[in-house]
Amino acid sequence: MSDSATPPVRLRPEVLAVPAYRQGAAPTKPGFKLSSNENPFDPLPSVLAALQGRGDVNRYAGAAMPELRELIARRFEVRPDRVHLGAGSVAILYQLVHAAAGHGDAYLHAWPSFEAYPALGLASGAEAIRVPLNARAEHDLDAMAEAITPSTRVILLCTPNNPTGPAIRRDAFDRFMARVPSDTLVVLDEAYREFVTDPEAVRGEDVLALHENLVVLRTFSKAYGLAGLRIGYGIGHPAILSAAATAAIPLSVTGLAETAALASLSPDAQAESATRIAEIAERRDELVRGLRGLGLDVPDAQGNFVWIPEVAGAAGDSGAAGAATAGSARRIDTLALAAAFAEAGTLVRPFPGEGVRISVGETESLAEVLRIVRGFLSAAG
Ligand SMILES: Cc1ncc(COP(=O)(O)O)c(C=O)c1O
């Protein structure tokens, strides 16, 4: 028998060279799972009830899903042919990159950003170009504009940026779009849009009508807590969305997901979700205040997660955690910090060399996060 890591058939070397997408770790002991930016609330009872009424799983769902597209279209004040559904917004990211960028083409994204971005172009053969975030952990839109070349086919903007937290400001977005060729696709990935409280943040619905080369992505996974059902949507020019549909795996949006999304958009469910979303945003802000109070240089957080950068805090803060003091900044050992969390039964997401992302979870998790970080800082310092 050959070793199980060596494929017994010819596969593409460029695919073999890239590791598969890694999900946040699953818990192994009691504690909080703060590693996947999930919604900590149980599903809404009305959504669960609607799911129970959908027993026809022996049938394929009707792929057009007109009622859901119509509802979403009304919210965005666009025609339904400007709405495209996908099995999670990540599916639409793949479709758009595949529809626009092949061999010899490139797509741009900030880094660190959503971990799926670097591999989106793998199968199509497009090259992913990473543009580092600025010192405030925000998109460096000037550097991104300068990185555009004739081969750039797609630009991914993640706002608020997963994993670091800041949202792109409207004025910066407008300046950036003025520098992007009008035949280059820009994707505004707003997976965490509902949690945004910065009044100056760009909002997809405000800018869609201004740019025919813009597709806005949203998801039911985060604010609506339907991550396990896989449903998201894109809004944009019908011809771009039609090309995305061509690149899609047929029939991948299930009827159950459609039913749950429809139930989530009912006025009562919307009101309940709004309360939960506000609660998560408040917990997030409390966590940011607590971590900053420990001397950490946590950037603005606009999603349902907070970020501890690897280089955090100024010299002279009490405690030097996990490793050396470099210049005027304190270096946090991200893997050691994540290990300290895991040891305490709480899972967070380390980005080696970059920082640690902590999702906003249950109320009780806030004190636990601060307890673990405080212990980690004092043990090292
Ligand atoms: C920035 C961003 N975009 C898209 C997604 C994909 O979400 P989904 O496919 O569940 O809609 C995620 C998931 O974590 C994300 O962080």
Side-chain angles (χ1 to χ4, degrees):
M1 283 297 267
S2 61
D3 111 57
S4 61
T6 309
V9 295
R10 286 170 295 171
L11 298 177
R12 290 169 59 197
E14 57 272 40
V15 171
L16 296 175
V18 180
Y21 176 78
R22 277 201 15 246
Q23 201 179 8
T28 53
K29 45 180 160 179
F32 298 102
K33 181 169 184 270
L34 308 178
S35 50
S36 295
N37 291 351
E38 293 154 340
N39 193 313
F41 289 99
D42 290 335
L44 292 176
S46 58
V47 171
L48 288 179
L51 284 173
Q52 267 163 14
R54 178 111 198 198
D56 60 343
V57 292
N58 56 319
R59 304 284 178 199
Y60 291 110
M65 301 187 177
E67 191 185 349
L68 181 56
R69 287 177 43 235
E70 170 77 42
L71 257 182
I72 294 169
R74 241 183 278 145
R75 295 159 67 87
F76 279 81
E77 296 178 358
V78 294
R79 291 202 326 252
D81 65 353
R82 288 190 170 249
V83 179
H84 172 60
L85 299 169
S89 54
V90 72
I92 306 176
L93 280 165
Y94 272 91
Q95 294 160 19
L96 289 169
V97 169
H98 282 221
H103 281 283
D105 300 327
Y107 64 102
L108 294 183
H109 62 84
W111 196 254
S113 195
F114 180 31
E115 276 179 298
Y117 290 165
L120 289 177
L122 197 59
S124 75
E127 186 187 1
I129 310 279
R130 300 176 176 197
V131 180
L133 299 174
N134 68 20
R136 289 180 303 282
E138 303 161 343
H139 280 59
D140 185 341
L141 291 178
D142 285 335
M144 289 186 85
E146 275 147 33
I148 297 171
T149 71
S151 11
T152 307
R153 293 300 198 90
V154 188
I155 301 167
L156 306 174
L157 301 177
C158 184
T159 178
N161 188 49
N162 172 18
T164 59
I168 295 173
R169 295 280 174 86
R170 170 67 192 267
D171 54 352
F173 174 83
D174 289 345
R175 280 197 303 276
F176 177 71
M177 289 303 285
R179 295 179 68 182
V180 176
S182 61
D183 62 356
T184 302
L185 172 61
V186 177
V187 180
L188 195 66
D189 181 349
E190 294 193 290
Y192 303 94
R193 162 75 178 80
E194 292 84 353
F195 302 109
V196 172
T197 49
D198 177 356
E200 289 177 36
V202 64
R203 303 173 342 142
E205 60 270 38
D206 296 341
V207 290
L208 259 173
L210 306 175
H211 307 284
E212 288 284 63
N213 59 334
L214 180 69
V215 172
V216 170
L217 293 186
R218 297 279 183 86
T219 181
F220 287 94
S221 297
K222 308 295 179 179
Y224 295 104
L226 301 184
L229 280 172
R230 317 301 306 124
I231 183 157
Y233 55 95
I235 317 278
H237 193 286
I240 302 176
L241 301 183
S242 161
T246 301
I249 295 171
L251 303 174
S252 52
V253 182
T254 67
L256 285 173
E258 174 194 25
T259 296
L262 277 170
S264 303
L265 293 179
S266 79
D268 286 353
Q270 284 281 289
E272 283 177 272
S273 292
T275 308
R276 292 172 166 203
I277 290 163
E279 171 69 35
I280 291 170
E282 274 169 33
R283 291 182 199 170
R284 171 198 71 202
D285 293 345
E286 192 179 328
L287 205 47
V288 169
R289 281 193 297 276
L291 291 169
R292 286 182 180 161
L294 295 176
L296 297 175
D297 197 9
V298 173
D300 187 30
Q302 292 291 318
N304 64 342
F305 49 89
V306 300
W307 176 247
I308 299 180
E310 182 154 305
V311 176
D317 287 344
S318 60
T325 298
S328 65
R330 185 169 67 197
R331 188 166 285 280
I332 302 282
D333 180 336
T334 47
L335 289 174
L337 178 55
F341 269 100
E343 182 57 33
T346 288
L347 296 177
V348 297
R349 178 82 74 111
F351 289 68
E354 308 283 0
V356 174
R357 188 192 70 198
I358 305 170
S359 306
V360 177
E362 295 77 356
T363 307
E364 309 76 46
S365 70
L366 302 185
E368 178 65 354
V369 167
L370 295 177
R371 185 189 71 76
I372 295 166
V373 175
R374 195 180 300 111
F376 178 78
L377 294 175
S378 62

